[in-house]
Amino acid sequence: MNKGSNTIDEKIMPFRPKGHQAVPRTEYDLIRWHGHAALITVLVSALFGILVATKFNFPNFMGGHAWETWGRLRYNHTQGIFFGWLGNAFIAFCYYVTPRLTNSTVNSRRLGWGLFWIWNFMVVLPGWVLVCMGFSQPLEWAEFPMIVDVFVILAFLLMLVQFVKPFLKVPAGDLYVSGWYIVGGLVFTTLAYPIGNLVPELVAGAKGAAFSGLWIHDAVGLFVTPLAVAMTYYVIPAVTKRPIYSHFISMLGFWLLFFIYPLNGTHHYVYSAIPMSAQRGAIIASAYLGLDVILVVTNLLLSLRGSSGKVGSNVALRFIWFGVVAYLVVSLQGSMQAFMPINRFIHFSDWVIGHSHLAMIGFASFTAAGALAHIWSNMPGAKYNERAMGWSFWLLSIGLGLMVIDLTAAGLVEGQMWVSRAPWIDSVRAIYPYWFTRILAGLPIIAGFALFWIGLLTGPRNPKSATSDSMALNKNTAARLEDEVQHPHGEPHAAPSILSYAFVIAFVAGFGFFVLSFVVLGILPAMQLQAEINRTAPHAMQPLSASEEHGRQIYGREGCAYCHTEQVRTITSDVQRFGAPTAAWETQYDYPQLWGTRRIGPDLSRENGLHTDDWQYAHLYNPRSTVPDSIMPGYSWMFTGSAGEPNSDALDLVAYVRSLGRQRALAGETGNQQVDHGTAMEMSSSYGSEGVPDTRPRIAAMGLDDSAPIFSSAQSPDSNRLAHGLDVYQHNCSGCHGTNADGQGSAAAALRPRAIDLHLEHFSDAHLATVLWDGVSGSAMPPWRQLEKNDLNDVASYVQSLESPATNVTMQPAEFAAAQTIYTANCVSCHGANGRGDGPAAGALQPSPVNFRVRQPSQQRAWTVLNEGVSGSSMPAWKNTLAPDQIKLLIPYVQQMYGNDKELLHP
Amino acid sequence: MINIIVAIVTLIVAAFLLLWIFRPSFRKWVEQPKYTMLENDQRFRHADNRREP
């Protein structure tokens, strides 16, 4: 203790408790085991986090095996922090404070060891292993599989017996606020956990999402927050030797938190299909919660008045102080994020990831670390290395600060790009440096936790006798204690009868407010949603096939919903980019809902018809093959050697992805007519009536679309434009067409039809513009409407610079007549009499037959296509039907059609 | 519904504030646990320091 820097200490006098009566036993062994388990699991969880973060910048890192893919490690990261780190730290804290707050022992030492083994060896460890093996739930903060949930619920019941039961004997006049939070938090969580984990499995889609939202926030707000706040309220007075500023204010904070916090949940689904009344309620509750946190933090900081020196000199208090400040910042940030104008911009982005790290590290972890440091520094016989703790504090602070600033900035960049018309992949490219910085920020964090553990394992053992400082109380406090404290040595204070037993009220807070939130944000919205579904759903809905249903399970197992939402919100930018907003009826068979709360890749709820199956397989096998700058992990273990050999998992997963949005397409719902949440007006002015996003291929008859802008012709493009065009090409086209534009990209082998060799064809300006603008329906070629105009201009120029020049073909009349005869007999039905690709069969074919008037194959290309056909299209191989001489005749015949405006072609 | 909840919360807070302002005995009672907590913490610490590690 730094006496020299603390003038308050000079005024204090030794406090001598009245007598040395026996105190209830504290289970220090259990505290040690839970404390070390907390530190071991936080290191493992942080390692999961580092690996997950690394995969953003190096997506092939640790790839190739199912257990180490991004989604599974991501599940283990958050569940490890929740159960392993914070859960163990909270339990250790409860063992320390329960005897001190109740004046009695915890219920049973044997039960304590049972709880330890269940928590760590029936929940945390098997949870991690099972997730890696592919057994999980795609529900946020509920990712461990249901078999683990059984043991979690059992553990919470044991916690009630172990920790809550001793509080039942405490009169209200003696029940300190930390006890209120412990009782309320444990009771509430025991009820909320099964609801949050099981109900979304039983209640489909939007209705289930309402319950998921409850648990997402209850996990943080009614388990982590109460226990962490209990820690702050205990450690601050214990270190400063002064009572907290106001126990009354702490009571107000307690009641407001338990009343208001459970009502926040739906703010994770603002602008969704969940009824607007529930959304508004959650937003208002979020604002109210911000006021509550201001009240709580003000009380806590005022409790440090006159003790600022100890914040610097006492590491435990420094951790707690940091946690309190972070609690204020993150709570006000959370309240602000719920407001619709802000939510629409930053939701789904890395801003929210920064927010959650500020909550779980800045607030919860710093507070838990402070409490453990305080316990260790006072635990008889414990080693405690204050220097290591001090370094740990600074490493964690630096890492967290860097991470939060970095992710907040990344979220702002993403939000800005998502409301623009830029291609989605541009937002991924833009965040590369931010994600890399996040990896760097994670290193001091994991080092900080390691040092913290070292701080609990090394250093001098605690002294046997107390120093005068550690046994000192503030003079005024001691005087008041002498005057006022009567219990447990004297008569208890008289209390208003209704508040005679505070634990009863805390119990009611845990139970009553749980029921309130369950009804207000779960039951009532579900009833409204069911009425809406009955009113708006098509009379018949095609359920998922067995294959698609299995694919859905794989989608959940691999954590796809943690990067791809299945929820188009009712805001303009979402609708323009992805299509019609997600209606409640679309999700009525989704057990559990897979809406997601994060977008790294694009929303997939309108994926039906967007990409061909072969593109999906190539993308799933190696995402960089089709999208060169993608950071999606490859799922090569779902294939038997190549993208063209998917196993049943890949087949089913692609079948499911292909089904997304099918119901909406079949129902003919293309506009915003389903949206009746009051937010539709936000879209009405700018949302096109067609509801077709820019990313969807369009069928352009005869390869020409009048609406496609003609990009500048490459008569003489300057070198700068060609260089820029090459850059655009490499970032967007090379995966399929190859870096040399020879059609040998890494995805090429899996695509049907294959991407073409751009050196072997010549396109008219109008046709090239149409292909870039509309894509090629029935092939993997997507539309590139979202690219900037100068990007499209320059990539068009670059492609034209590669093309074989248009050949001016002349044929002898006899050859022409012979070729025309062959063409008429074999080619007209698809390509049309005039080569426009408008034959009688053309309308049914995808991709559409080539229009030779706007696209001229080179002699080499024509020879190959005529002999071998085009796999994945309707073009057959003619080598077994036509003689080589006949094929040779056809080549100049189709070539001479290019650019020819005459209906009948004569030389 | 949310309006009712907000109103109830506000009324409860106001009621307790009034109670705190006008009932000194309540004030004394409600602040009592913070002293009890400190005393207990000191008792335990003293007992721990007397105990052989």
Side-chain angles (χ1 to χ4, degrees):
Chain A
M1 297 297 172
N2 186 355
K3 289 181 183 176
S5 63
N6 192 343
T7 55
I8 297 294
D9 285 349
E10 295 166 2
K11 301 176 182 176
I12 61 179
M13 66 180 194
F15 170 68
R16 295 183 183 282
K18 296 173 178 176
H20 293 308
Q21 74 277 20
V23 295
R25 188 178 63 204
T26 303
E27 302 293 351
Y28 287 119
D29 285 348
L30 285 164
I31 291 175
R32 279 194 190 87
W33 280 80
H34 276 289
H36 290 305
L39 269 301
I40 291 169
T41 49
V42 77
L43 288 172
V44 176
S45 304
L47 185 63
F48 283 133
I50 291 274
L51 293 177
V52 166
T54 304
K55 283 169 174 279
F56 278 88
N57 286 91
F58 307 99
N60 293 325
F61 170 66
M62 279 182 68
H65 299 98
W67 70 269
E68 60 190 12
T69 46
W70 187 91
R72 300 187 189 189
L73 297 181
R74 160 68 173 78
Y75 285 0
N76 278 345
H77 170 55
T78 50
Q79 291 283 266
I81 292 292
F82 185 78
F83 289 110
W85 160 231
L86 293 176
N88 274 305
F90 290 153
I91 294 171
F93 171 72
C94 287
Y95 278 116
Y96 185 78
V97 298
T98 299
R100 287 159 174 77
L101 297 179
T102 65
N103 214 25
S104 64
T105 58
V106 294
N107 192 64
S108 161
R109 183 179 172 82
R110 183 176 295 179
L111 187 150
W113 285 112
L115 176 61
F116 175 83
W117 284 95
I118 289 173
W119 193 257
N120 289 288
F121 295 99
M122 304 298 278
V123 174
V124 179
L125 192 58
W128 279 340
V129 172
L130 287 170
V131 166
C132 282
M133 291 171 65
F135 300 96
S136 56
Q137 288 190 122
L139 297 171
E140 206 162 335
W141 292 115
E143 289 90 350
F144 280 171
M146 269 201 244
I147 183 65
V148 173
D149 292 340
V150 173
F151 292 101
V152 174
I153 294 165
L154 174 63
F156 273 111
L157 289 171
L158 293 180
M159 280 187 233
L160 293 183
V161 176
Q162 184 79 322
F163 303 122
V164 175
K165 191 178 168 192
F167 282 97
L168 302 183
K169 305 167 188 169
V170 182
D174 283 343
L175 186 55
Y176 183 61
V177 62
S178 294
W180 291 60
Y181 276 110
I182 289 170
V183 173
L186 292 181
V187 172
F188 196 106
T189 307
T190 305
L191 295 166
Y193 188 85
I195 298 299
N197 281 260
L198 303 181
V199 170
E201 297 280 1
L202 305 172
V203 179
K207 292 181 290 181
F211 290 99
S212 289
L214 273 178
W215 170 245
I216 290 172
H217 228 76
D218 288 349
V220 179
L222 279 308
F223 178 62
V224 173
T225 299
L227 273 297
V229 172
M231 288 171 158
T232 62
Y233 270 124
Y234 194 90
V235 175
I236 287 175
V239 173
T240 62
K241 313 291 187 298
R242 297 175 58 145
I244 58 170
Y245 178 71
S246 168
H247 198 258
F248 175 67
I249 292 177
S250 75
M251 291 288 92
L252 288 183
F254 169 84
W255 283 109
L256 283 172
L257 183 131
F258 274 79
F259 210 150
I260 297 298
Y261 217 127
L263 302 175
N264 277 235
T266 308
H267 74 198
H268 289 268
Y269 296 112
V270 177
Y271 290 112
S272 73
I274 291 177
M276 201 61 211
S277 57
Q279 294 184 39
R280 286 200 190 99
I283 294 167
I284 293 168
S286 303
Y288 221 100
L289 184 67
L291 299 176
D292 175 47
V293 173
I294 290 172
L295 197 67
V296 171
V297 171
T298 301
N299 193 32
L300 287 166
L301 293 181
L302 282 173
S303 301
L304 288 167
R305 69 200 183 288
S307 303
S308 56
K310 287 194 174 177
V311 174
S313 62
N314 186 296
V315 179
L317 191 60
R318 201 187 310 157
F319 270 109
I320 293 286
W321 171 83
F322 191 104
V324 170
V325 173
Y327 182 41
L328 177 67
V329 175
V330 78
S331 298
L332 295 181
Q333 191 188 32
S335 299
M336 185 178 70
Q337 286 169 203
F339 299 148
M340 296 181 91
I342 298 181
N343 186 282
R344 59 183 295 176
F345 191 75
I346 55 94
H347 194 46
F348 299 140
S349 77
D350 273 306
W351 170 297
V352 183
I353 310 303
H355 170 71
S356 53
H357 279 88
L358 183 58
M360 298 304 276
I361 300 178
F363 166 48
S365 295
F366 268 77
T367 305
L372 287 179
H374 173 73
I375 292 169
W376 245 256
S377 66
N378 289 282
M379 193 159 55
K383 286 185 175 180
Y384 180 70
N385 185 337
E386 190 159 348
R387 191 174 179 196
M389 293 292 189
W391 277 104
S392 163
F393 173 85
W394 288 112
L395 283 170
L396 287 169
S397 303
I398 290 168
L400 176 70
L402 181 60
M403 182 177 287
V404 171
I405 291 169
D406 173 66
L407 291 175
T408 302
L412 293 173
V413 173
E414 285 168 329
Q416 183 58 43
M417 299 198 77
W418 292 348
V419 298
S420 76
R421 302 296 290 267
W424 184 269
I425 195 66
D426 280 5
S427 71
V428 175
R429 289 189 198 110
I431 307 303
Y432 284 166
Y434 296 93
W435 284 329
F436 189 75
T437 306
R438 191 243 304 263
I439 301 172
L440 299 180
L443 297 177
I445 289 176
I446 199 167
F449 280 123
L451 260 182
F452 190 92
W453 194 26
I454 290 170
L456 301 186
L457 292 169
T458 63
R461 289 194 186 277
N462 288 333
K464 296 176 188 174
S465 60
T467 64
S468 59
D469 179 69
S470 69
M471 288 299 290
L473 278 183
N474 174 275
K475 182 191 293 183
N476 293 334
T477 305
R480 290 197 67 173
L481 282 169
E482 293 291 334
D483 293 340
E484 296 180 7
V485 173
Q486 298 171 35
H487 183 78
H489 317 297
E491 293 299 316
H493 285 270
S497 58
I498 195 173
L499 295 171
S500 293
Y501 290 97
F503 73 91
V504 174
I505 301 170
F507 213 81
V508 172
F511 180 76
F513 293 160
F514 165 75
V515 172
L516 179 71
S517 64
F518 185 71
V519 171
V520 172
L521 290 189
I523 301 285
L524 293 180
M527 291 169 64
Q528 285 180 269
L529 283 165
Q530 189 56 55
E532 181 186 318
I533 290 168
N534 295 340
R535 191 176 70 249
T536 57
H539 293 300
M541 279 183 68
Q542 182 183 349
L544 294 181
S545 66
S547 168
E548 291 163 349
E549 189 57 51
H550 183 233
R552 190 173 196 282
Q553 291 169 11
I554 296 166
Y555 186 94
R557 183 185 76 195
E558 303 306 335
C560 304
Y562 283 54
C563 291
H564 297 283
T565 56
E566 287 183 20
Q567 178 199 172
V568 182
R569 296 179 298 169
T570 55
I571 61 175
T572 305
S573 57
D574 264 31
V575 175
Q576 284 177 335
R577 190 176 287 278
F578 303 118
T582 301
W585 65 263
E586 292 182 78
T587 65
Q588 62 176 313
Y589 299 129
D590 291 353
Y591 298 94
Q593 54 84 18
L594 292 171
W595 275 5
T597 55
R598 175 82 176 91
R599 280 180 186 155
I600 296 168
D603 184 278
L604 296 183
S605 48
R606 301 284 173 256
E607 186 66 14
N608 179 256
L610 213 56
H611 295 103
T612 56
D613 285 2
D614 51 344
W615 185 95
Q616 297 282 11
Y617 293 131
H619 185 65
L620 189 63
Y621 182 77
N622 176 12
R624 259 87 40 218
S625 70
T626 51
V627 184
D629 293 330
S630 170
I631 62 158
M632 179 174 142
Y635 294 86
S636 56
W637 43 272
M638 289 189 189
F639 296 78
T640 52
S642 73
E645 300 169 280
N647 67 20
S648 61
D649 275 6
L651 289 169
D652 293 345
L653 179 56
V654 168
Y656 169 65
V657 170
R658 191 179 51 198
S659 77
L660 293 170
R662 183 177 60 204
Q663 299 294 351
R664 191 60 173 257
L666 290 173
E669 298 291 354
T670 57
N672 58 357
Q673 53 199 295
Q674 292 287 336
V675 182
D676 57 0
H677 302 147
T679 46
M681 73 284 192
E682 195 267 332
M683 304 183 303
S684 58
S685 61
S686 55
Y687 169 41
S689 59
E690 291 180 352
V692 178
D694 286 347
T695 48
R696 186 167 294 276
R698 292 176 183 165
I699 299 174
M702 297 181 286
L704 291 173
D705 178 2
D706 291 341
S707 67
I710 301 295
F711 306 115
S712 59
S713 177
Q715 294 298 325
S716 56
D718 61 51
S719 58
N720 287 337
R721 286 187 55 196
L722 285 179
H724 180 236
L726 171 62
D727 185 55
V728 175
Y729 173 89
Q730 294 296 354
H731 280 296
N732 297 288
C733 317
S734 61
C736 298
H737 289 283
T739 52
N740 299 320
D742 55 2
Q744 299 297 325
S746 51
L751 300 181
R752 299 288 180 277
R754 289 180 67 128
I756 62 171
D757 182 337
L758 295 172
H759 301 91
L760 300 180
E761 308 239 10
H762 186 88
F763 305 101
S764 73
D765 292 349
H767 180 58
L768 183 58
T770 299
V771 170
L772 287 169
W773 196 247
D774 292 341
V776 177
S777 185
S779 82
M781 177 70 183
W784 293 100
R785 249 167 273 145
Q786 291 180 311
L787 286 179
E788 296 280 343
K789 190 182 175 196
N790 66 320
D791 289 348
L792 285 166
N793 281 339
D794 294 349
V795 80
S797 297
Y798 173 71
V799 169
Q800 288 178 322
S801 75
L802 302 171
E803 292 174 354
S804 60
T807 308
N808 204 2
V809 178
T810 55
M811 297 178 75
Q812 296 299 320
E815 288 178 343
F816 183 86
Q820 189 173 42
T821 302
I822 299 167
Y823 180 87
T824 303
N826 298 287
C827 313
V828 165
S829 60
C830 295
H831 291 281
N834 302 314
R836 288 199 172 99
D838 58 350
L845 303 179
Q846 286 194 35
S848 300
V850 168
N851 177 353
F852 294 117
R853 303 220 170 193
V854 295
R855 178 171 164 182
Q856 185 188 57
S858 69
Q859 195 167 12
Q860 177 189 346
R861 169 71 175 164
W863 174 259
T864 303
V865 169
L866 282 165
N867 274 288
E868 307 296 337
V870 177
S871 177
S873 80
S874 303
M875 179 68 184
W878 292 98
K879 62 185 178 187
N880 297 324
T881 308
L882 300 176
D885 288 346
Q886 290 176 302
I887 291 175
K888 281 181 183 171
L889 273 177
L890 275 176
I891 292 173
Y893 183 78
V894 297
Q895 283 183 317
Q896 57 81 38
M897 290 176 174
Y898 180 77
N900 195 331
D901 291 325
K902 290 180 287 186
E903 287 300 310
L904 294 174
L905 307 173
H906 294 286
Chain B
M1 175 62 82
I2 191 66
N3 294 334
I4 296 170
I5 292 172
V6 169
I8 290 172
V9 170
T10 308
L11 287 173
I12 291 172
V13 170
F16 275 102
L17 274 174
L18 290 173
L19 197 62
W20 188 81
I21 291 168
F22 294 110
R23 288 288 299 273
S25 62
F26 172 77
R27 203 154 58 227
K28 188 174 179 180
W29 175 80
V30 82
E31 294 296 338
Q32 177 60 36
K34 67 184 183 186
Y35 302 110
T36 313
M37 171 261 157
L38 261 186
E39 189 208 29
N40 281 344
D41 188 68
Q42 290 300 312
R43 277 198 311 124
F44 274 75
R45 203 174 297 195
H46 188 81
D48 284 342
N49 285 326
R50 287 193 299 119
R51 186 178 300 161
E52 191 68 31

